[in-house]
Structure formats: C-alpha cells, structure tokens
Amino acid sequence: MNYIDSLNEEQRAAVLYNDGPQLVIAGAGSGKTRVITHKIACLLDQGYAPWNILALTFTNKAAGEMKQRIARFVGEKAHGVWAGTFHSIFARILRMEADAIGFTHNFTIYDSSDSKSLIKTIIKEMGLDDKTYKPGTVQCHISNAKNRLILPSAYAADREVRKADEAARMPLIHQIYRHYQERCRRADAMDFDDLLLYTWLLFDQHPHIREKYASQMKYVLVDEYQDTNFAQHSIVWQLAGEHRHVCVVGDDAQSIYSFRGANI
C-alpha cells in the first residue's frame, strides 16, 4: 500500500481508521476526495470485495473520477465498487426491486421539466389560478416534502405545513401533491425526489430487502456530505446503521444545496 505514503499525517489517520462511524471535516483543497479514494483502495487491499463497498457522491463526473483514481491504485478491482450519485445508485436498486413497491422494472424517470408540466396540468384541471399556484413554486413545495420523507397523507395532516400554505395563499398544495403522486404512479413514473423517497420506503416497508443491501454494502462512504438532505442521510443510516462502517467527508462551509433541503 505504498500509495498511503503520499498522504499527510491527518489524511493517513482518516484513511486507516476502521473502528466505526467516521466524520471527516476538512476545508477546500485539503484532500477530502483524496481521503475517500485512498480509503476505498485501502479497504480493497484489506480484503473487502468491490461489491461490498458503496461510495456516494453528487455528480456523475465526480463518481467517474473517483473510480479512475481508485483504479490507479488497485487496478481492475475498482470496477466492481458501487460508486455513483445518490440518484443513480438508488435508481439502480429501485429497478431491481420495483415489484415490491408497485412499479415495473423499466419505470420512467421524470426530469424537472416533465414534473413541472404535470403539476401545471393538475393545477389547470383543478381550476386553480396558475399565477397564485405557480407550477415552479408548487414543485418546490412537493420536492421539499419528499426530501423530508413526508408523503401526501402526512403533508395533508400536518397543521404547521397547511398553515404555512394558507399564509402563502396556496391552501390546496396538499391536494396537488396527492394528485401528482397518483398520476406519477399510474404512469409508472418517478421524479428525481422519488428516487430517494421510494428507496427509503422500500427499505422501511421491506426489512428483508434492506437487510439484503445492508449486508452486501459492508462499508458506506459519502463525499460532500454537507450537501446531503434528510432523505439521503436517512437512507445511509438504513444501510449502515447496524454494521456502522460508514465514513462521511465534507466541509460545512461549502454547502451549496440548501435549496434542495441540504442540512449539515
């Protein structure tokens, strides 16, 4: 493991630690991603199988670069690592387990414009003013609810949320949310936020499926952890809560996804 020699003392300590949950906080340019890639290489050298390692990040580019860096240290073994964005990895799991949550394996994934268009249609069908119920604003409310793992029924039952919607002169968002989810399900479609929501529901409602993936993914690593939201954090702990082999790396001063519910 001569690649360890290229690390400074603090980086080396973070890479070699393997005794439980680990939070690595470091500033910009200090080698956070370097710690993740070296740690994965180290785990592979210590006997972990590639498919027993889950590495989550926020962009496809970052995931690709991560795999390339690991491959420089350990060669072909790097290709079997589960490395990707939260959404790509969870979409992969959902396609394999779609039957359990009432979808087909080739369900459609709506992008933001598809989602907004459907919301616009529902607002029109409900006879609401789209200058008051602006589709983009409603979309944000629904997205924020999903990222807090709030289903339409819970949204409708939450007095504080309903009060806030009434104050914003949009008291029927809970109905739009319900219609929206029903229409997506009938179309065998999920939006990007659903990839998180349904993964959490899959693991929550089907413990044997959660246990299958938790036992397979024996080490979970998350880069740019400051940008995770409640749903992402909750799924990480669904997978790692028992074996507690989890390493998260981030910088609270660099959070850029608060508008998506990121909360350090």
Side-chain angles (χ1 to χ4, degrees):
M1 298 194 299
N2 57 358
Y3 53 84
I4 296 293
D5 297 336
S6 66
L7 302 173
N8 63 37
E9 186 179 345
E10 290 81 6
Q11 291 169 341
R12 192 178 303 117
V15 167
L16 295 177
Y17 178 84
N18 194 13
D19 292 325
Q22 178 181 18
L23 169 63
V24 179
I25 301 177
S30 60
K32 294 189 299 297
T33 303
R34 194 176 191 210
V35 165
I36 287 268
T37 54
H38 280 66
K39 191 174 188 75
I40 293 170
C42 188
L43 290 169
L44 292 168
D45 277 340
Q46 289 173 355
Y48 278 83
W51 51 87
N52 290 149
I53 297 172
L54 170 64
L56 297 164
T57 188
F58 279 84
T59 67
N60 290 316
K61 182 182 177 185
E65 289 175 353
M66 186 182 288
K67 275 196 170 184
Q68 287 175 4
R69 287 198 207 181
I70 301 164
R72 285 203 292 270
F73 303 136
V74 297
E76 290 295 317
K77 284 193 289 187
H79 299 305
V81 173
W82 286 66
T85 64
F86 280 88
H87 293 86
S88 67
I89 294 292
F90 296 156
R92 183 175 162 187
I93 291 172
L94 287 170
R95 289 202 186 282
M96 289 189 284
E97 308 294 345
D99 292 344
I101 51 172
F103 286 84
T104 69
H105 297 287
N106 60 343
F107 61 81
T108 301
I109 298 176
Y110 284 168
D111 63 19
S112 183
S113 61
D114 295 327
S115 169
K116 191 173 179 179
S117 177
L118 176 55
I119 288 170
K120 189 173 183 179
T121 298
I122 292 168
I123 289 169
K124 186 176 181 181
E125 289 174 354
M126 288 177 66
L128 302 173
D129 182 1
D130 63 7
K131 290 190 172 51
T132 301
Y133 288 88
K134 295 178 181 176
T137 302
V138 174
Q139 184 181 36
C140 285
H141 280 253
I142 292 173
S143 176
N144 287 337
K146 290 181 180 183
N147 285 322
R148 297 197 309 274
L149 302 177
I150 298 173
L151 296 168
S153 56
Y155 191 105
D158 190 317
R159 290 183 182 179
E160 290 301 315
V161 169
R162 295 283 300 279
K163 204 171 176 181
D165 288 348
E166 287 170 9
R169 298 194 304 127
M170 295 184 290
L172 297 180
I173 285 182
H174 68 285
Q175 289 187 22
I176 300 171
Y177 183 13
R178 176 170 55 81
H179 290 311
Y180 174 76
Q181 285 302 91
E182 289 169 353
R183 294 280 280 271
C184 284
R185 186 172 275 280
R186 285 207 302 270
D188 194 33
M190 297 185 195
D191 62 26
F192 286 135
D193 298 311
D194 283 329
L195 297 176
L196 303 178
L197 177 64
Y198 281 115
T199 299
W200 181 81
L201 284 171
L202 173 71
F203 291 157
D204 184 63
Q205 296 175 356
H206 302 276
H208 67 288
I209 294 177
R210 182 197 64 77
E211 287 164 12
K212 178 175 78 172
Y213 287 97
S215 63
Q216 178 182 336
M217 296 165 177
K218 298 182 188 300
Y219 218 109
V220 180
L221 304 99
V222 185
D223 199 10
E224 306 295 354
Y225 192 68
Q226 73 277 356
D227 288 324
T228 54
N229 58 37
F230 179 70
Q232 290 162 330
H233 169 84
S234 298
I235 297 167
V236 166
W237 281 106
Q238 282 179 316
L239 291 169
E242 289 176 14
H243 60 62
R244 298 177 71 78
H245 285 143
V246 56
C247 171
V248 301
V249 178
D251 175 8
D252 55 346
Q254 290 189 70
S255 183
I256 59 172
Y257 286 120
S258 58
F259 69 97
R260 290 186 189 168
N263 184 348
I264 189 64

